[in-house]
Every structure is written in C-alpha cells, then in structure tokens.
C-alpha cells in the first residue's frame, strides 16, 4: 500500500473502510460506510506518522518563536511538551520518540542559554529535555495500546454484526436451497471470495447447490478435498487449523449426524489476514450448518406430519369403503340371493319387498359413491359453479322430497318463506348439501320426533337451519364433524353414514361463499346452520 | 307353522338386511324373532329363549362384543355373528368370547343357512351322541369310540396330536374352531402362541388325507381365524 494514501481505504472501494489490526490489509467483512473515527488514527500509520509529527513540530516551533518575546525559556518548554504529547497520543511510539528528540534538539539549539548551540548551561533545561522524552515514551505507549484496543473492539463488533446479519438472513428460511443461497452470498461478500456449496448426489457425485459467481466449477483438488472431508463421517464442522495455508478452504457443511455437503471458499486476494478471514468464515459456515440442520429437521418433521395425515386419511377411506359401501352391498347380495334361492316359495309381497330392498340399497350405494366422487372432486379441482337464479323454497323442497323418498319413516317439517327469495347458486350442489344435512339429521333423530328445516333471510344472507332432536354434538366435536370421514373414525357405534356427507356439504356451501356450522338446539339436539350470501336479482323487464 | 321349528333371533339395526334374513329364514321354516338394537335383542333373548341368535357386531347402541359377553353370562345359545369388518382379530375375539361362528358381509343367504344348520345340528340330534361318534362320508371314516381313521377302506396311522386335531374339528362339524381353541385344548394353555405346531400338524393331516388346501374336501382353513371340518352334503 502506498504510504501517501490514507490507509484503510480499499483501492476499489474508497468509501468503504475496514480497520484491521493485523496489518495494512483491508478486507471488508462488513462494509461500513462510516469513515470516522479511525481515519485520524489510520493517518498516522507508516511514513504518514512522521509527516504528521513534523507538521506539528513546525507549528510548535513557529509558536515558540512568537512566544519567545513574551515568555521565559521554561515556559517555552511547555509548548514543546504539548507538541510531544499531541503527537504521542495520535501516533505510535517511534514517531513520539522522534518528535521528542527533534523538540529536545530544537529547544536546546534555539532557546536554551547559550542560544544557537547544543550546549546547556541551566540544569533546569536538562530536566525539560528529559521530561520531553519521558512524556513521549509514556503517552506514546498509552496511545498505542488505546488504538489497539479500539481497533480490536471495532473488529469484534463488525464480526458480531456480520454474524448477526447472516443469522437474520438464515433465520428467515427453513428451506435448504434458500439457506444455501443466503449463506453463499454472505460468505462471498464478507470474505471477498468465490464460494460454492456442493451437495452429494444419489450417484455419489458432487453437484453445485449454490454458488457465487454463478458459473462456479469445482476444481479436481477441491473435489478431492471434499471427498476427503466427507469420509470422516461425524467430523466436526470446523475445518482443521492447517487449512489456513491451503487455499481454497474446503469445509464440511451439516450437523453432527447429518451431512448437507461441503462448502468451498476461494478468497480472491490471498493475504496475511487469512487467519482472521478463515476464522470468520469458519464461524459463518458453522451458522449456516446450524441453519441447514434446523431446516433439515423442519422438513423431516413436515414430511412425517404430511405422511401421518395421508395415512390417517387412507385408513379412513379404507374403513369407509369397507363399512359404508359394503352395507348396502350386503343388503343387495342378501336380498338377491334370497330371491334366487326361495323365489318359488315366497309370496308376492315378500318378493316385492326384496326387490324394493335391492332397488333402494342400490340407490344408497349410488349416493355414497356420488359423495365419494364429489369429495375427491372438491378436494382436487377448482370447482367451477354453474350458477343460476332459483327460488330458495324450491331448493329446500327438492332436498326434502328426496329425503322423504329414501327415509319415508322420518317426519320432516319444512318452514318455507312466505314469498319468493332468489338465490344465485348452482341448484344441484345446494340441494345435495341440504340433503346431506337432512339425511344426517334423519339418522340421529329419535323415532316419533321430527326434523325441521327453516329459512331466515338476515342482512343480505340467507340462513337455512336444520334442527333435530337427536343426542346433540359435543362441543369438542363441533368442527370435527366436518372433517372428511369423521363419523367413520368413531367406529361402528356412530350413526350410519360415510362421514363424507358433512365434509362435502361444507365444501359445496363454501364454494358458494357461504358456511356451515353446528349449534346446540334448545331442549336438546342439533341445529345445522347453512349461511349463503344473497345477490340482488336482475331487474325483471316487463 | 311347525311348533317344533327352531326359533332364530336376528339382532341387526340395518332394516334391509333384517328384511331379507327374515324372509329367507321363514322360507326355511324357522320361527323368526327380530330386534334393531342391542337392548331389544337382549330382552328378546331373555324372554323368548331362541335356539340361535344372529348378531350384528355393529349396533348403534352397544358394541356387539358387549352384547355377546352379556348374553354369555346367562345363555349358551349358539351365536352366529354378522360382521362387515375385514379384521380377522375382531372375528377371533368374538369367537373366543363365546360366539359360535361368523359370516362376513356381504354374504349370500345360502352361506348363512349352511352355518345355521351346522349350529343347530346338535339341537336336532338331541342328546344322542351315538352318530356323532362315528363319521362316514363314503371315503373318510372316523370312529371316535375306537380312535380309528380310514381313508377309502385303508386304515390311516395318525399321531396323537393329529388325531386330536381331527377329532376336535369333527366335534365342531361345519363350524369354525379358532387356532387359540385348538392350541389351548390340545397343547395346553401355555402353547397358545405356538401356531406353528398347529400348522405342521394340519399340514401332515392334509397330506395323509390327500386333502388339497386350495380346494379342501375336509379341512378348510379360515385365514387368520382357524379351521373348519366341512360336512359332506
């Protein structure tokens, strides 16, 4: 570094400074745009210190010649003492001693009696000269120590900031790729190096997972180093000390039990500060490793959660198919085999009963299958609604009459609106949703009790409430009844049904921007409340 | 209706299933009682003294297993279970708890009738054990009084265990016997886990009888449950 330049400035990045105690080498772990306060200190490095000291000395002598007319010689000595002190505090020991010597000689030559000679007649003047030297040594030493302390504090702070910034970047993500990208970018900027993360592929090769610059190609020596690292399976994350001298640095990436890959760091400008850089790089790699391990655990956790959910659903689906599809099938096969075996012996009424049974159970099976298909469709497609204007009373009545056909024994009381209220919906879906709720209510309704369905237009929405006098739904199950297959998971004692009905119902109503909730009916039982938004119907032209 | 007709109680909450069972049972000449809930069924079983109970394992008010356990506290009536469950452990549990046989839904009505006949056989035979001591279907002859077995006239040499298994299955002619029951009775309670004993003995028995396990004449495996000695029609 040329002596004339204010040290601390990187030739390519003049505004960004980094103070380094180890030597006049400057790498920017954390670019700080603040030029203060170390420019003054830094300005006294090298020859600049002597230039600075000389300037102060010249100024001191000028002042002393001016003051010579008014002050005694002893007092002039104080001026030189101040000069030595100023230089000593702001530079280092050697410059301070140089200043002390120059001041001593100058004071001696120009001001002490006899003047313009180096001889000293007054013993007090000898004391002054010695004082110059002592002050120079003590304050120079203090100043140097202070400068070092401040510099190392600065370095520690910058390092902490670097790691903190990295930590914050890493903390925002649990995705392996994002962590690698962030880590590589931070390392490349901080260390001023080419950095790449290599991950081992299934084939046993290495692939570049993230790199700065983008076109990073690992060299054979680096690959060899990576292979050497990876063989030590549970080796610590920190690379051995000896790698300081070996550039590039290759470090393992990952936790104690899990290896994410290796990281290769090629510092752009090899320098004496590499020990410092390496130790910072090591800490950063450690942080990246921790972040990767956290991400790895999060991914594993998520995977197992999804797996558990899938398994639960699969089991529920299996038991649903086994229980609810087989029940009607059992009736059909039983009735048909009875007909086949005893047809000639059976009276006509019984034959009709069996045929009727086959028909109805066939229809029940069809409904279950339809529900199953609807659910799959609701779950996987964007259901596009084919909306149409329809009278709310009409939809309700359609669902009610369908239920009456399948469950003739259940009494259903529809409480319709006195006037026409138009809904803009897909009628078939709303009818199916209401049918599912009604069928559910019919199942739980005790014999002799009725199921009621009523409509209430409230604040731009239409409420349709189905109430039964069944056992009611425990509060903790209020939401779960809408889960797919919920009723099945409760086992055989639950009311018959696929457990799909309410889940599909919620899906269908939800597709219309509405909702379904289960409420407690006063005096026992359940109210299922469907809420549908209402649109204003178009003007009717006459 | 025949006053001596066997009385069959059907306990099932599914109306269509009850409907065809009742029609078919009546056509077979049984006197039929029916119940839609466990409580109703237990009440009928207690007051009407049925000769056989057909019990659905999935009832709305109580577990079928509970109903079975309660019934067994005061009645030895044969119980035929209906189950939609695929789980073999369910069946084994019910059989070990005192059920006599099972059919899995969906089933044909003939299957139920065959099980029913097997379960009611003891009743129609009355107290006489004479005929059950000797089995003869024209090919296989098992004389339990003399502990002799012959196949197509040629005497077979069976080990004691082989004979015991064969005899126990024969005593439950056409009815399922669980592995657990076989192991417990023939090998002892400490060997109920040693199912391989049973496999080996049944394998040898089949070999000696020339019975094909895929299309058995006599020894039918009920997978995961046990074995059944098939009666000749």
């Amino acid at each position: 570094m040329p002596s004339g330049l204010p040290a601390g400035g990187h030739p390519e990045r003049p505004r960004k400074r980094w103070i380094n105690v180890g030597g006049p080498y400057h790498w920017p772990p954390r670019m700080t745009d603040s030029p203060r306060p170390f420019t003054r200190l830094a300005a006294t490095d090298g020859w600049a210190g002597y230039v600075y000291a000389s300037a102060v000395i010249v100024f001191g002598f000028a002042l002393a010649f001016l003051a010579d007319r008014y002050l005694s010689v002893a007092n002039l000595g104080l001026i030189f003492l101040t000069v030595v002190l100023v230089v000593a505090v702001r530079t280092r020991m050697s410059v301070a001693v140089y200043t002390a010597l120059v001041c001593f000689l100058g004071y001696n030559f120009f001001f002490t009696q006899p003047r313009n000679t180096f001889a000293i007649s007054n013993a007090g003047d000898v004391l002054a000269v010695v004082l110059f030297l002592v002050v120079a040594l003590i304050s120079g030493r203090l100043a140097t120590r202070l400068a070092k302390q401040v510099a190392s504090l600065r370095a520690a702070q910058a390092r902490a900031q670097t790691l903190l910034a990295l930590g914050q970047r890493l903390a925002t993500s649990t995705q392996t790729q994002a962590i690698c990208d962030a880590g590589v970018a931070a390392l490349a900027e901080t260390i001023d190096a080419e950095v790449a993360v290599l991950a081992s592929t299934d084939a046993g090769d290495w692939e570049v997972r993230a790199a700065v610059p983008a076109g990073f190609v690992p060299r054979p020596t680096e690959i060899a180093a990576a292979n050497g690292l990876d063989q030590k399976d549970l080796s610590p994350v920190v690379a051995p000390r000896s790698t300081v001298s070996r550039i590039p640095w290759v470090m393992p990436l990952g936790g104690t039990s899990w290896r994410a890959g290796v990281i290769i760091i090629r510092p752009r400008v090899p320098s004496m500060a590499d020990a410092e850089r390496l130790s910072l790089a090591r800490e950063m790699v450690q942080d990246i490793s921790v972040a990767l391990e956290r991400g790895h655990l999060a991914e594993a956790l998520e995977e197992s959660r999804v797996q558990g959910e899938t398994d639960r659903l699969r089991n529920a689906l299996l038991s649903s198919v086994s229980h609810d599809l087989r029940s009607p099938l059992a009736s059909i096969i039983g009735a048909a085999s009875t007909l086949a075996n005893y047809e000639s012996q059976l009276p006509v009424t019984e034959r009709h009963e069996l045929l009727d049974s086959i028909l109805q159970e066939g229809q029940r099976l069809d409904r279950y299958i339809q529900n199953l298909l609807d659910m799959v469709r609701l779950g996987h497609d964007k259901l596009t609604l084919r909306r149409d204007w329809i009278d709310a009373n009409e939809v309700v009545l359609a669902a009610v009459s369908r239920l009456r056909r399948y469950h003739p024994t259940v009494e259903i009381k529809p409480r319709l609106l006195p006037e026409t209220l138009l809904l803009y919906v897909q009628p078939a879906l709303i009818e199916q949703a209401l049918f599912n709720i009604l069928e559910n209510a019919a199942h739980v309704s005790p014999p002799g009790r009725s199921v009621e369905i009523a409509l209430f237009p409230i604040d731009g929405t239409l409420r349709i409430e189905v109430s039964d006098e069944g056992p009611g739904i425990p509060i903790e199950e209020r939401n779960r009844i809408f889960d797919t297959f919920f009723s099945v998971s409760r086992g055989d004692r639950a009311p018959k049904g696929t457990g799909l009905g309410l889940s599909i119902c919620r899906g269908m109503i939800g597709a219309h921007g509405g909702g379904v909730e289960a409420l407690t009916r006063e005096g026992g039982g359940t109210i299922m409340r469907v809420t549908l938004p209402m649109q204003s119907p178009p003007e009717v032209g006459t | 209706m025949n006053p001596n007709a066997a009385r069959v109680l059907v306990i099932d909450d599914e109306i269509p299933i009850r409907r065809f069972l009742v029609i078919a049972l009546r056509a077979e000449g049984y006197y039929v009682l029916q119940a839609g809930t466990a409580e109703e069924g237990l009440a009928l079983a207690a007051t009407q003294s049925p000769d056989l109970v057909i019990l659905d394992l999935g009832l709305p008010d109580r577990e079928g297993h509970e109903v079975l356990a309660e019934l067994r506290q005061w009645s030895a009536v044969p119980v035929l279970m209906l189950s939609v469950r695929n789980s073999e452990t369910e069946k084994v549990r019910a059989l070990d708890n005192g059920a006599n046989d099972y059919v899995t839904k969906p089933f044909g009505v003939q299957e139920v009738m065959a099980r029913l006949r097997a379960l009611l056989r003891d009743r129609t035979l009355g107290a006489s054990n004479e005929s059950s001591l000797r089995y003869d279907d024209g090919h296989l002859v098992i004389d339990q009084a003399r502990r002799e077995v012959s196949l197509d006239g040629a005497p077979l040499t069976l080990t004691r265990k082989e004979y015991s298994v064969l005899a126990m299955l024969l005593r439950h002619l056409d009815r399922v016997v669980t592995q657990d029951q076989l192991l417990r009775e023939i090998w002892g309670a400490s060997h109920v886990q040693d199912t391989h004993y049973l496999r080996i003995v049944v394998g040898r028995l089949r070999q000696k009888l020339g019975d094909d396990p895929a299309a058995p004449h006599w020894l039918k495996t009920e997978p995961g449950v046990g074995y059944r000695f098939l009666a000749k029609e």
Side-chain angles (χ1 to χ4, degrees):
Chain A
M1 170 135 318
S3 62
L5 259 180
H10 193 282
E12 291 159 15
R13 300 188 177 102
R15 286 281 298 152
K16 296 177 176 174
R17 293 166 199 285
W18 169 246
I19 309 309
N20 182 33
V21 187
Y25 304 99
H26 312 285
W27 50 284
R30 171 120 183 113
M31 301 300 172
T32 154
D33 286 327
S34 158
R36 293 173 310 103
F38 285 89
T39 33
R40 277 184 310 180
L41 187 76
T44 58
D45 274 1
W47 293 108
Y50 291 97
V51 175
Y52 172 77
S54 305
V56 177
I57 290 165
V58 169
F59 178 74
F61 273 94
L63 202 67
F65 278 118
L66 281 175
D68 191 23
R69 300 180 191 171
Y70 313 105
L71 299 174
S72 68
V73 172
N75 290 336
L76 289 180
L78 287 178
I79 290 175
F80 290 105
L81 198 60
T82 309
V83 167
V84 171
L85 205 59
V86 165
V87 171
V89 165
R90 298 205 167 174
T91 64
R92 57 188 188 275
M93 185 72 91
S94 55
V95 181
V97 171
Y98 153 80
T99 310
L101 283 172
V102 172
C103 286
F104 153 70
L105 291 173
Y107 179 65
N108 186 3
F109 189 81
F110 293 115
F111 300 108
T112 58
Q113 295 297 334
R115 294 203 173 199
N116 298 329
T117 66
F118 286 110
I120 299 171
S121 57
N122 191 341
D125 293 341
V126 176
L127 183 65
V129 167
V130 173
L131 265 178
F132 288 167
L133 274 173
V134 169
V135 165
L137 288 172
I138 291 173
S139 53
R141 195 175 146 73
L142 279 175
T144 308
R145 196 191 290 165
L146 182 71
K148 272 191 179 168
Q149 276 173 357
V150 171
S152 70
L153 268 176
R154 278 274 141 180
Q157 194 198 353
R159 192 180 175 120
Q161 273 178 0
T162 307
L163 292 172
L164 187 68
L166 177 67
Q168 282 166 351
R169 276 163 87 171
L170 295 177
T172 55
S173 183
T174 56
Q175 305 246 301
T176 308
Q177 188 58 49
I179 292 169
C180 286
D181 288 341
V184 163
L187 272 169
E189 185 187 312
T190 308
I191 309 293
D192 188 24
E194 292 179 7
V195 183
V197 170
L198 302 191
S200 57
T201 62
D202 294 335
D205 299 333
W206 295 100
E207 66 170 4
V208 178
R209 188 93 195 241
V212 172
F216 189 100
V217 177
R219 298 172 191 137
T221 51
E222 289 164 347
I223 298 283
N227 287 333
L229 274 179
D230 209 44
Q231 279 158 18
K232 287 177 279 169
D233 197 21
L234 296 181
S235 63
V237 169
V238 177
R241 285 266 166 206
S242 61
T243 47
V244 176
S245 55
R246 292 214 316 263
I247 287 178
W249 304 320
V250 179
M251 301 183 202
L253 204 56
T256 46
S257 59
W258 168 81
R259 180 58 44 81
V262 297
I263 194 157
I264 296 173
I265 303 173
R266 290 181 199 153
R268 283 214 179 80
V269 189
S271 71
M272 279 171 62
D274 278 350
E276 193 73 16
R277 276 208 271 188
L278 178 62
S279 111
L280 183 68
R282 209 184 269 141
E283 278 184 48
M284 292 174 76
V285 168
Q286 206 156 12
D287 284 357
I288 297 166
S289 282
V290 169
L292 279 174
E293 181 144 41
R294 183 167 45 79
H296 177 66
L297 286 176
E299 273 169 26
L301 208 65
E302 177 67 13
E303 207 167 285
S304 71
R305 201 185 63 77
V306 168
Q307 192 57 43
E309 186 86 349
T310 312
D311 285 349
R312 207 178 59 80
L313 212 66
R314 186 187 295 127
N315 288 339
L317 181 65
L318 277 177
S319 67
S320 166
V321 169
S322 141
H323 185 278
D324 293 314
L325 300 189
R326 267 196 183 164
S327 284
L329 257 185
S331 304
I332 292 168
I333 291 174
S337 63
T338 304
L339 272 175
N341 279 267
Y342 306 104
E343 197 192 353
S344 52
Q345 302 161 240
L346 296 178
V348 179
T349 50
E350 291 193 340
R351 265 186 269 171
H352 273 219
E353 225 176 293
L354 290 172
L355 285 171
D356 199 39
S357 192
I358 293 172
L359 197 64
Q360 280 195 11
E361 291 299 290
Q363 285 164 341
R364 188 172 141 209
L365 194 59
D366 182 53
R367 290 202 304 281
Y368 283 161
I369 291 171
Q370 188 57 47
N371 270 353
L372 207 62
L373 291 176
D374 281 346
M375 197 224 38
V376 172
R377 208 172 302 147
L378 279 175
H380 293 280
D381 282 1
K382 290 265 184 295
L383 192 78
T384 43
L385 295 177
R386 293 187 301 277
R387 287 178 190 256
D388 198 2
W389 291 101
I390 185 151
D391 184 358
N393 284 341
E394 216 174 293
V395 184
V396 169
L397 277 179
V400 168
S401 62
R402 225 172 107 202
L403 192 82
R404 280 181 177 149
R405 203 164 47 205
Y406 294 127
H407 300 271
T409 54
V410 181
E411 193 194 344
I412 305 167
K413 288 185 190 158
R415 299 205 184 284
L416 302 176
L417 292 170
E419 54 205 42
T420 302
L421 189 144
L422 289 181
L423 290 174
Y424 191 53
V425 294
Q426 182 167 344
L429 289 187
I430 300 296
E431 190 203 312
Q432 181 64 44
L434 293 179
F435 178 81
N436 285 358
I437 293 177
L438 281 170
E439 190 172 42
N440 222 59
H443 274 310
V444 298
S445 186
R449 299 305 180 128
S450 58
V451 172
E452 205 179 279
I453 180 164
L455 297 96
F456 309 97
I458 293 170
D459 297 338
T461 61
L462 176 68
R463 273 192 200 161
I464 305 172
E465 295 187 351
V466 176
S467 44
D468 63 67
E469 295 178 40
I473 302 163
I475 289 174
E476 63 272 17
E477 289 180 3
R478 287 279 161 79
N479 266 313
R480 291 186 55 214
I481 55 166
F482 297 104
D483 287 358
T484 312
F485 303 123
F486 173 67
S487 86
V488 172
S489 66
R490 287 166 65 194
D492 274 349
R493 292 179 59 189
K496 303 285 182 208
T498 51
L500 290 174
L502 289 179
S503 152
I504 290 163
C505 173
R506 176 169 270 191
M508 285 171 169
I509 301 293
H512 288 84
V516 193
E517 56 189 328
L519 308 167
T520 305
R521 181 182 171 278
E522 256 179 69
T526 308
I527 296 177
M528 297 292 290
R529 177 187 287 167
V530 173
T531 312
L532 279 171
M534 288 195 291
Q535 279 94 348
S536 11
E539 294 296 319
V540 182
T542 44
Chain B
M1 189 166 283
N2 176 6
N4 288 330
R7 301 156 73 85
V8 177
L9 169 59
V10 179
I11 309 176
D12 195 325
D13 63 318
E14 298 231 25
I15 296 163
I17 290 191
R18 228 159 59 206
R19 188 185 295 157
F20 84 76
L21 276 177
V22 167
I23 290 173
L25 287 166
R26 281 193 188 133
E28 282 281 344
Y30 295 108
Y31 178 77
V32 186
L33 303 154
Q34 47 176 321
T37 63
E39 290 312 316
E40 224 180 303
L42 283 170
L44 280 177
T47 56
Q48 301 291 311
S49 54
D51 296 304
L52 188 135
V53 175
I54 297 178
L55 174 66
D56 186 11
L57 272 185
L59 290 171
D61 52 340
R62 284 176 76 182
E63 275 277 328
H65 291 290
E66 280 178 38
V67 180
L68 184 62
E70 192 171 326
L71 187 68
R72 276 286 169 261
Q73 285 175 9
W74 40 264
S75 171
V77 61
V79 173
L80 176 67
M81 294 174 306
L82 305 181
S83 170
V84 286
R85 298 177 205 228
N86 257 347
S87 159
E88 267 57 50
T89 53
E90 281 293 324
K91 292 170 190 159
V92 170
R93 185 179 152 205
L95 288 171
D96 288 341
N97 283 346
N100 300 73
D101 213 330
Y102 65 89
V103 269
T104 307
K105 291 181 189 174
F107 50 81
V109 76
Q110 310 92 308
E111 204 183 338
V112 181
M113 294 309 165
R115 298 271 174 280
L116 222 67
R117 277 195 294 275
L119 289 176
L120 288 170
R121 189 172 291 126
D122 291 347
R123 175 183 170 273
T124 51
L125 287 173
S128 89
N129 280 332
E130 281 305 310
S131 57
S132 67
L133 277 174
R134 189 181 160 80
Y135 175 86
D136 186 350
D137 61 17
H139 294 283
L140 182 67
V141 178
I142 305 169
D143 189 334
Q144 294 199 65
R146 306 165 76 170
R147 299 175 70 90
E148 280 174 6
V149 182
S150 63
L151 183 66
D152 293 326
L156 286 181
T157 318
L158 300 182
T159 64
R160 221 169 54 221
K161 293 281 188 249
E162 287 164 6
Y163 178 79
S164 301
V165 169
L166 190 64
M168 185 170 173
L169 290 175
L170 184 62
R171 280 202 298 282
H172 298 84
L173 187 65
D174 251 351
R175 280 179 268 156
V176 71
V177 183
T178 64
Q179 305 183 147
D180 199 272
Q181 288 164 348
L182 283 163
L183 284 163
R184 200 179 292 277
E185 178 160 327
I186 295 164
W187 277 271
S190 55
H191 290 287
V192 286
Q193 302 299 321
D194 299 327
T195 51
H196 56 286
Y197 291 178
L198 193 57
R199 302 261 174 282
I200 292 167
V201 166
V202 171
R204 289 212 197 105
L205 256 179
R206 279 187 172 139
Q207 225 170 6
K208 290 182 179 175
L209 296 175
D211 208 12
D212 177 10
H217 284 102
W218 296 289
L219 300 182
K220 182 171 189 283
T221 304
E222 297 289 352
V225 179
Y227 297 93
R228 192 190 294 277
F229 193 104
L230 300 173
K232 285 289 152 244
E233 292 299 325

